């Protein structure tokens, strides 16, 4: 198998030759900084552009009704005042998105580090799996670029925040922000299927686990989280 020569080529080849990429990065060091930086920067772009475009007064009222609609008018005013600063909301969103990626990938790395112990020949440790998590997260870049395009072509400044994630079920099925299903539908995204696939492919390169088991490992956390979330909403 022909290996990849540099991290920038790996960023490109992950879309068409993921096996070669994962075979290479299992031996390479410090390559994961490249996808991390790209994902963090490009992933924050839709948020930055959205808050510089949206009618912020309308957005504030939308969020108040969606998140505090059942509270008293006085409590809603407190919530409204907290959100009054557009710049603060923008940077909270930008840095919050990066923080969530750091945390979610840290959890995923811990999960992979634990489940791959079933392969006695697997030599990768937690930091290796943390780097791995950034490579399988590269599809986020595609959805983020799509989010940027949605904001760019929008003409109405009263643009729903779900537009920042056009691959989410919330956007695809036009789920209202005040729906009890809104958060879950925003979390379920088409690129998650791509991430699952890349995770399974990477596991086949980094371990000697059966292919079927790698797909189970890749899919299980998503199904468990989504199913538990849906059950919580229903109950």
């Amino acid at each position: 198998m022909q290996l990849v020569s540099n991290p920038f080529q790996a960023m490109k080849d992950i879309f068409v030759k993921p096996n070669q990429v994962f075979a290479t990065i299992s031996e390479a060091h410090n390559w994961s900084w490249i996808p991390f930086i790209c994902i963090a920067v490009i992933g924050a772009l839709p948020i930055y552009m959205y808050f510089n475009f949206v009618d912020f007064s309308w957005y504030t009222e939308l969020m108040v009704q969606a998140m505090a609609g059942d509270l008293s008018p006085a409590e809603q005013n407190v919530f409204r005042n907290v959100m009054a600063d557009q710049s603060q909301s923008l940077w909270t969103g930008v840095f919050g998105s990066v923080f969530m990626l750091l945390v979610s990938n840290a959890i995923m790395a811990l999960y992979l580090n634990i489940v791959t112990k079933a392969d006695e020949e697997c030599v990768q440790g937690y930091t290796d799996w943390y780097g791995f998590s950034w490579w399988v997260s590269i599809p986020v870049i595609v959805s983020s670029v799509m989010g940027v395009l949605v904001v760019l072509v929008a003409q109405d400044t009263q643009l729903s925040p779900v537009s920042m994630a056009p691959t989410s079920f919330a956007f695809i099925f036009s789920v209202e922000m005040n729906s009890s299903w809104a958060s879950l539908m925003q979390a379920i995204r088409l690129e998650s299927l791509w991430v699952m696939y890349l995770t399974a492919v990477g596991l086949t390169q980094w371990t000697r686990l059966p292919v079927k088991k790698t797909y189970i490992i890749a899919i299980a956390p998503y199904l468990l989280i989504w199913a538990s979330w849906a059950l919580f909403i229903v109950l």
Side-chain angles (χ1 to χ4, degrees):
M1 181 185 298
Q2 183 178 0
L3 300 182
V4 182
S5 61
N6 62 75
F8 298 100
Q9 182 187 350
M11 286 280 294
K12 175 176 66 72
D13 287 354
I14 195 77
F15 295 101
V16 291
K17 302 175 183 177
N19 281 292
Q20 287 92 322
V21 171
F22 287 113
T24 301
I25 63 175
S26 65
E27 303 294 336
H29 298 286
N30 298 321
W31 280 23
S32 299
W33 282 103
I34 303 302
F36 161 66
I37 293 170
C38 291
I39 291 168
V41 172
I42 299 175
L45 279 179
I47 300 171
Y48 181 84
M49 296 184 66
Y50 176 82
F51 280 103
N52 278 290
F53 171 78
V54 72
D55 178 343
F56 192 70
S57 297
W58 171 85
Y59 168 82
T60 301
E61 196 58 36
L62 175 70
M63 298 307 296
V64 168
Q65 295 305 317
M67 302 177 69
D70 296 332
L71 301 181
S72 68
E75 290 172 316
Q76 288 184 5
N77 282 333
V78 172
F79 192 86
R80 194 175 285 111
N81 291 334
V82 170
M83 296 185 61
D85 190 331
Q86 183 171 358
S87 178
Q88 181 179 338
S89 294
L90 186 159
W91 292 112
T92 298
V94 167
F95 290 113
S97 69
V98 176
F99 177 75
M100 287 303 296
L101 281 170
L102 289 168
V103 172
S104 61
N105 279 4
I107 295 172
M108 178 58 73
L110 178 62
Y111 165 72
L112 293 174
N113 190 47
I114 292 172
V115 296
T116 53
K117 297 297 183 185
D119 176 16
E120 295 180 355
E121 297 184 31
C122 180
V123 297
Q124 278 77 16
Y126 177 78
T127 55
D128 297 309
W129 290 112
Y130 192 55
F132 175 96
S133 70
W134 293 107
W135 289 99
V136 302
S137 298
I138 285 176
V140 171
I141 293 175
V142 177
S143 62
S144 297
V145 171
M146 292 174 64
V148 168
L149 293 176
V150 169
V151 176
L152 282 176
V153 301
Q155 296 181 342
D156 187 354
T157 56
Q158 294 185 356
L159 183 67
S160 172
V162 301
S163 301
M164 291 183 281
T167 58
S168 71
F169 277 25
F171 180 85
I172 294 170
F173 297 110
S174 301
V175 179
E176 297 293 335
M177 287 296 296
N178 58 0
S179 169
S180 58
W181 292 90
S183 295
L184 174 57
M185 292 298 100
Q186 289 181 68
I188 301 177
R189 304 186 180 191
L190 295 180
E191 70 266 23
S192 297
L193 297 174
W194 197 350
V195 172
M196 294 177 205
Y197 168 72
L198 289 177
T199 301
V201 170
L203 285 168
T204 62
Q205 291 297 321
W206 283 29
T207 72
R208 293 184 177 275
L209 296 172
V211 173
K212 182 179 179 180
K213 190 168 185 177
T214 64
Y215 277 92
I216 292 173
I217 291 172
I219 295 170
Y222 290 90
L223 291 185
L224 180 61
I225 292 171
W226 292 341
S228 300
W229 199 336
L231 188 62
F232 177 79
I233 294 171
V234 172
L235 298 179

